């Protein structure tokens, strides 16, 4: 999920006064509303399109024909009510279809039980991550509160809209119409299937499910046909909230930061306590034997997203992660953003964690402000050097919210190159799309979206993945400004 910036300069931390000054400048009101709040406006209730996008720059690569599909919250207000946290908005799935130099957009809300209940009530009565809900709202299981608003998984004849704490929701891949809740196995109905599944080169899907407050997590292994091959609880070293994990060819890697469930009252985010004295515990689980587990320890840090992981010839494990000094989307921040109020927070930087066979663990910290790390999915769990991310460049004033740069970091050389969109853009996650027949890890395109604040429109961009600094090969502009989204996939 998006990590919002409050002030950065070339990847260095700003002092508190400088950061607050940047916030004040970037949040200058226009008609009583900060410009960046366009990213938190409701999407049209009936969705969008399909509508054509207008090509405003360049030409599309001939071999790039497919669909970028993204998911994220799409509704933040009902009547005079505002939702309690950005993470709780109803899921809006958007499909950007590219064919030659033409692109089209379709966007539809996921028809969840939660959305139907909230719509009927005319307010936000369902509980969520940062929304308390109404005490008399009936919740029989987690899927009654499932917002289906975080990510998407391609299952061939269906798309799965994913949330953190419930089941996938199946959608029609062409129309985006909702088909219903997915039950992976009858005896595991409503078991959490998290929003960041990993697909290894064999086509196996690995994922976890987490019930906060529990000392157990649930691990999923689905074969290439989508059947449950393995599913079992594992001991969890602490009742920590985590959003993402990493996999190698043989191992599952769970970094458990010290944002830990404690006592208190709903909403859930208000029950999470930051306990930096406990550091980060990294749980490593063997894919073939869930009982084969090992713990590593790192200094305190917070993260939302990993990139990818691999194992070296000597058995060492390595993974990308975007570490910040403390939680970057707590209840105050997530609630204030949807109300148009900027809140100061720490910035994540791209790091490489190495776990050594002798038990040592170390962090290689770059000076690159980064979020949404993405890699070549063909190399999931295998050695590689490149990781793509979004960040902020020092050439523009620090924004109150969002990112303005796409970038590629090469761990083998320690270099980062990228393209700066400028202060008028809120840049969303961009994903790597391999060129058909291409084998090199940078042979392909980077495809993603931004919200152009000056044009008040969402834009779709395609880059040469190995030459980001040359700018987009092609850019299209939608006839609508969609709210900021979280995660996407490419579907050929």
């Amino acid at each position: 999920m998006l990590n919002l910036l409050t002030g950065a300069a070339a990847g260095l931390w700003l002092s508190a006064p400088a950061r607050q000054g940047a916030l004040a400048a970037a949040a200058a009101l226009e008609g009583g509303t900060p410009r960046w709040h366009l990213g938190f406006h409701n999407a049209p209730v009936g969705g969008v399109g399909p509508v054509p996008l207008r090509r405003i720059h360049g030409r599309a690569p001939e071999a790039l024909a497919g669909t970028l599909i993204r998911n994220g919250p799409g509704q933040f207000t009902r009547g005079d009510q505002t939702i309690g946290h950005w993470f709780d908005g109803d899921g809006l799935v958007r499909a950007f279809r590219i064919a030659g130099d033409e692109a089209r957009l379709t966007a539809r809300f996921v028809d969840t039980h939660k959305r139907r209940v909230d719509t009927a009530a005319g307010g936000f009565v369902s509980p969520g991550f940062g929304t308390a809900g109404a005490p008399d709202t009936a919740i029989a299981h987690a899927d009654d509160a499932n917002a289906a608003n975080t990510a998407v998984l391609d299952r061939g004849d269906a798309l799965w809209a994913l949330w953190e704490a419930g089941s996938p929701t199946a959608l029609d891949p062409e129309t985006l119409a909702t088909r219903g809740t997915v039950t992976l196995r009858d005896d595991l109905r409503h078991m959490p299937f998290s929003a960041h599944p990993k697909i290894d080169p064999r086509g196996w899907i690995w994922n976890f499910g987490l019930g906060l407050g529990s000392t157990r997590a649930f691990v999923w292994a689905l074969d290439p046909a989508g059947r449950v091959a393995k599913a079992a609880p594992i001991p969890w070293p602490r009742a920590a909230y985590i959003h993402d994990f990493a996999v190698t060819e043989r191992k599952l890697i769970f970094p458990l930061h010290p944002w830990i469930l404690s006592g208190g009252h709903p909403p859930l985010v208000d029950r999470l306590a930051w306990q930096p004295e406990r550091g980060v515990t990294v749980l490593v689980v063997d894919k073939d034997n869930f009982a084969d587990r090992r713990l590593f320890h790192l200094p305190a840090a917070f993260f939302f997203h990993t990139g990818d992981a691999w194992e070296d010839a000597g058995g060492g494990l390595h993974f990308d992660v975007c570490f910040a000094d403390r939680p970057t989307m707590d209840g105050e921040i997530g609630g204030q953003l949807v109300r148009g109020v900027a809140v100061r927070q720490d910035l994540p930087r791209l790091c490489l964690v190495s776990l050594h066979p002798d038990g040592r663990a170390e962090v290689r910290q770059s000076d690159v402000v980064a979020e949404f790390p993405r890699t070549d999915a063909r190399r999931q769990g295998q050695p590689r050097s490149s990781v793509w991310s979004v960040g902020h460049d020092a050439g523009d004033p620090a924004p109150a919210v969002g990112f303005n740069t796409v970038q590629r970091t090469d761990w083998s050389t320690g270099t980062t190159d990228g393209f700066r969109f400028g202060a008028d853009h809120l840049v969303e996650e961009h994903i790597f799309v391999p060129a058909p027949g291409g084998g090199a890890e940078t042979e392909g395109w980077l495809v993603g979206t931004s919200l152009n604040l000056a044009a008040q429109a969402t834009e779709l961009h395609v880059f040469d993945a190995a030459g980001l600094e040359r700018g987009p090969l092609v850019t299209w502009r939608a006839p609508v400004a969609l709210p900021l989204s979280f995660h996407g996939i490419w579907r050929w």
Side-chain angles (χ1 to χ4, degrees):
M1 289 180 184
L2 185 59
N3 216 1
L4 306 178
L5 303 186
T6 56
L12 303 177
W13 307 115
L14 291 178
S15 66
R19 196 180 290 161
Q20 290 171 347
L23 268 177
L29 300 184
E30 297 181 359
T33 304
R35 292 203 313 157
W36 56 260
H37 195 243
L38 182 65
F40 301 90
H41 284 195
N42 289 347
V45 172
V48 176
V51 295
L53 277 61
R54 179 168 63 92
R55 183 165 55 89
I56 60 174
H57 164 79
R59 313 289 299 192
E62 290 185 5
L64 186 68
T67 306
L68 174 69
I69 304 171
R70 294 188 56 75
N71 195 359
Q75 183 147 5
F76 310 97
T77 60
R78 281 190 169 90
D80 60 355
Q81 289 192 27
T82 300
I83 204 161
H85 196 287
W86 183 17
F87 293 177
D88 296 333
D90 292 335
L92 180 78
V93 176
R94 318 109 199 265
F96 299 86
R97 294 184 168 88
I98 299 173
D101 282 329
E102 296 183 351
R104 298 179 69 83
L105 165 66
T106 302
R108 295 284 181 270
F109 278 100
V110 185
D111 184 20
T112 62
H113 175 85
K114 170 194 180 298
R115 180 165 174 79
R116 292 192 297 272
V117 168
D118 285 356
T119 299
F124 298 108
V125 298
S126 300
F129 183 72
T131 302
D136 58 348
T137 301
I139 301 293
H141 45 71
D143 285 325
D144 282 347
N146 191 335
N149 67 358
T150 308
V152 189
L153 184 65
D154 185 4
R155 298 308 303 136
D157 63 347
L159 299 173
W160 287 0
L162 303 178
W163 185 54
E164 291 192 306
S167 306
T169 304
L171 311 178
D172 183 283
E174 298 302 320
T175 67
L176 305 184
T178 302
R179 293 177 177 171
T181 301
V182 175
T183 298
L184 294 171
R185 206 170 71 190
D186 285 343
D187 61 325
L188 300 175
R189 189 179 299 272
H190 307 304
M191 184 67 69
F193 185 86
S194 194
H196 280 287
K198 310 295 182 183
I199 305 176
D200 68 24
R202 302 174 301 158
W204 280 62
I205 300 171
W206 297 87
N207 204 357
F208 71 101
L210 185 61
L212 277 177
S214 172
T215 56
R216 300 173 78 82
F218 200 81
V219 175
W220 297 91
L222 278 59
D223 67 20
R227 298 181 295 257
V228 177
K230 296 171 64 176
I234 60 170
W236 208 238
R238 58 177 59 161
Y241 163 83
I242 70 165
H243 177 67
D244 201 358
F245 73 121
V247 301
T248 71
E249 188 173 358
R250 299 188 303 156
K251 304 293 185 181
L252 309 175
I253 302 172
F254 301 96
L256 306 179
H257 50 215
W259 205 24
I260 298 172
L261 192 75
S262 60
H265 303 283
L268 182 61
V269 69
D270 290 346
R271 300 174 60 199
L272 292 168
W274 181 242
Q275 302 176 19
E277 69 279 3
R278 299 183 64 174
V280 173
T281 295
V282 184
L283 171 65
V284 177
V285 180
D286 189 274
K287 285 182 173 179
D288 292 330
N289 178 10
F290 292 170
D292 184 352
R293 299 182 294 272
R294 189 174 185 186
L295 298 179
F296 296 82
H297 301 282
L298 296 168
F302 174 83
F303 81 104
F304 271 119
H305 299 112
T306 68
D308 191 10
W310 70 92
E311 185 172 352
D312 62 33
L317 305 175
H318 312 273
F319 64 95
D320 322 281
V321 63
C322 295
F323 272 153
D325 285 344
R326 58 176 295 107
T328 55
M329 194 53 62
D330 60 18
E332 179 187 12
I333 295 168
Q336 295 285 49
L337 286 173
V338 296
R339 291 168 171 79
V341 179
V343 181
R344 182 170 59 86
Q345 58 181 308
D346 292 315
L347 305 174
R349 286 189 280 186
L350 185 65
C351 299
L352 182 67
V353 174
S354 295
L355 309 175
H356 300 287
D358 63 4
R360 290 180 299 115
E362 57 187 1
V363 180
R364 176 181 171 185
Q365 182 171 277
S366 76
D367 63 356
V368 178
V369 172
E371 249 298 1
F372 296 133
R374 297 297 299 249
T375 60
D376 180 352
R378 298 171 303 176
R379 291 174 166 78
Q380 182 78 247
Q382 299 179 353
R384 48 83 202 165
S385 296
S386 294
V387 55
W388 289 266
S389 62
V390 298
H392 176 69
D393 190 270
D396 283 320
V401 60
F403 300 93
N404 68 4
T405 299
V406 293
Q407 55 204 12
R408 180 180 73 92
T409 298
D410 187 328
W411 287 119
S412 65
T413 63
T415 59
T416 297
D417 63 292
F419 175 79
R420 175 171 56 88
F421 281 87
D424 283 336
H425 285 256
L426 302 182
V427 179
E428 300 184 274
E429 173 198 65
H430 281 52
I431 64 173
F432 178 85
V433 178
E441 68 176 54
T442 61
E443 194 172 352
W445 305 283
L446 203 66
V447 182
T449 51
S450 70
L451 182 56
N452 186 327
L453 300 176
Q456 296 193 352
T458 294
E459 293 184 350
L460 173 65
H461 313 281
V462 178
F463 291 84
D464 178 347
L468 301 181
E469 69 281 356
R470 295 192 292 271
L473 299 172
V474 61
T475 292
W476 292 273
R477 181 174 295 164
V480 64
L482 295 175
L484 294 172
S485 55
F486 294 146
H487 298 295
I489 60 170
W490 178 260
R491 177 183 168 95
W492 289 104

